[in-house]
Amino acid sequence: MAAYSPGVRVGNWSEDAALAEELLEDFRRRRERGELLIQKSRKLQDNLLRKVKLSLPKDGFVHFGDTVMLLSPDNKKSSMENYPGVCGKLALAVDLDEIAMFSAESLQAPCGVSAVKTMDPVGRNTFCILSVDGGAMGEPIRFGQKFGLGATGGFSDKMLYLASDHKSFLRFAKKSYLQQVFLTDELSYLTRWHAAFLDPQLRLEYEGFPVPANSNIIITHCHTNRSLAVPRNFWIRSYFGMEYEVVCHTYLNSHKAEEDKNYWVIVTGNPSDEESTMIDRPDPLSGGIREKNEFHEETQNIKISD
């Protein structure tokens, strides 16, 4: 290290001054081209958090090509018994490590996934329903039919696909050591999923029926026959804070039925408000019950006054 700054003309001061000027000029050029690490991370973060409009199905079913959110619904009873303090809805999202956030300009494979509490549809928690068996775009997905889930992260030039594979000594979830779920850039048998009806006793009867949107279903990996799940008791650290781990594991209760950890809701947009989703839409029964109660109170007051 030089004992003096370039401003002191001692020794090879001219070379030090030229080197400092060259470094400053290189910094200016990289800043103009947007190649600085802070600029790359800010651009990637802006795309991941950019608002996305969800698809608006007219028939209430999920279709190939729809842009949706995958939501793990809230189950307060089970949450309070098994893992208190972890109640609430969680959305499947893209999880980039800090190294990728500061070095990558777009989504890079392989990439992790996590469950987040953010319910606003943005680039990192929205997915596209893809056809993998020749189904036409716009056709409804049916129970038992294979499909893919693609994530762009807010970018338009590259898409990654939700995948999973059998657990091995080198490939497993970091916290729970269960079957890992990740994003890859290759469409293969590892990226194929299918939806199953929630009630196992009626599962065969509903085989081939369209999958309803905004309803509880089971999403199962075709290759390993294990269901997508959020255990809710394993935290992972990400660039956006503490989030929940997502695995591929079937949790069965004493009746051989999937637990709420395996429940998923394919959320679509709100037709009455394009800026919100169907989970933000108020329950239509609440307004009707309130109006009915108000009408009943008014009639009782009229009878009393008479």
Side-chain angles (χ1 to χ4, degrees):
M1 183 180 295
Y4 301 95
S5 64
V8 180
R9 298 186 177 184
V10 177
N12 56 344
W13 61 269
S14 59
E15 289 82 355
D16 292 340
L19 180 60
E21 185 65 26
E22 184 179 354
L23 291 175
L24 180 60
E25 188 64 26
D26 180 66
F27 170 79
R28 291 172 178 171
R29 289 195 299 266
R30 294 175 60 189
R31 184 180 61 182
E32 293 176 357
R33 294 195 298 263
E35 297 178 354
L36 298 179
L37 290 179
I38 188 173
Q39 291 176 329
K40 291 181 179 180
S41 63
R42 185 177 301 172
K43 179 181 178 181
L44 184 58
Q45 181 178 354
D46 292 342
N47 282 276
L48 291 174
L49 299 180
R50 181 181 300 171
K51 290 186 177 182
V52 177
K53 290 185 178 180
L54 301 181
S55 300
L56 303 174
K58 298 180 180 179
D59 52 4
F61 300 118
V62 183
H63 305 80
F64 289 112
D66 286 351
T67 301
V68 298
M69 290 176 57
L70 296 179
L71 182 69
S72 177
D74 181 19
N75 191 317
K76 295 182 179 180
K77 181 179 179 181
S78 178
S79 299
M80 293 301 294
E81 294 177 354
N82 300 330
Y83 26 83
V86 196
C87 303
K89 302 173 183 177
L90 299 176
L92 187 68
V94 178
D95 179 30
L96 291 177
D97 55 12
E98 295 185 3
I99 298 178
M101 287 294 299
F102 285 101
S103 60
E105 297 183 359
S106 61
L107 294 181
Q108 301 294 329
C111 179
V113 293
S114 61
V116 301
K117 293 185 178 181
T118 303
M119 292 295 104
D120 296 330
V122 294
R124 68 181 300 238
N125 64 358
T126 53
F127 291 82
C128 181
I129 307 295
L130 306 175
S131 174
V132 295
D133 59 355
M137 300 295 289
E139 290 186 357
I141 301 175
R142 303 183 181 276
F143 285 111
Q145 187 178 12
K146 298 178 181 179
F147 61 89
L149 294 170
T152 60
F155 296 89
S156 58
D157 56 344
K158 190 173 184 179
M159 177 178 289
L160 300 183
Y161 312 102
L162 189 69
S164 184
D165 199 357
H166 287 289
K167 183 178 65 173
S168 66
F169 289 104
L170 300 177
R171 183 177 55 250
F172 52 84
K174 296 181 180 179
K175 297 293 184 178
S176 60
Y177 300 102
L178 297 174
Q179 185 172 313
Q180 185 183 19
V181 181
F182 56 93
L183 293 171
T184 180
D185 56 353
E186 297 181 0
L187 268 175
S188 64
Y189 60 93
L190 299 180
T191 61
R192 297 186 178 185
W193 307 80
H194 73 268
F197 191 71
L198 193 64
D199 190 350
Q201 297 182 351
L202 301 176
R203 197 159 291 173
L204 291 178
E205 284 77 359
Y206 276 87
E207 194 80 14
F209 280 76
V211 177
N214 310 295
S215 300
N216 292 345
I217 60 172
I218 305 295
I219 299 179
T220 306
H221 190 235
C222 296
H223 176 59
T224 61
N225 198 29
R226 296 183 183 272
S227 301
L228 193 65
V230 182
R232 290 178 178 252
N233 54 349
F234 296 102
W235 290 84
I236 58 175
R237 188 182 300 275
S238 69
Y239 178 82
F240 299 95
M242 302 298 293
E243 299 173 349
Y244 295 94
E245 187 178 60
V246 179
V247 297
C248 217
H249 184 77
T250 304
Y251 293 90
L252 298 178
N253 56 19
S254 59
H255 301 285
K256 300 299 181 180
E258 288 83 359
E259 297 181 0
D260 61 311
K261 302 174 185 179
N262 292 119
Y263 293 177
W264 291 92
V265 177
I266 301 181
V267 181
T268 58
N270 187 0
S272 59
D273 185 7
E274 296 182 356
E275 300 297 331
S276 62
T277 63
M278 287 299 294
I279 59 176
D280 302 324
R281 193 169 183 172
D283 189 0
L285 296 178
S286 61
I289 294 174
R290 183 171 59 253
E291 292 177 359
K292 183 178 180 180
N293 293 334
E294 292 177 355
F295 175 77
H296 181 70
E297 292 178 359
E298 290 180 358
T299 54
Q300 291 293 331
N301 293 334
I302 294 173
K303 291 181 180 179
I304 294 172
S305 62
D306 292 341

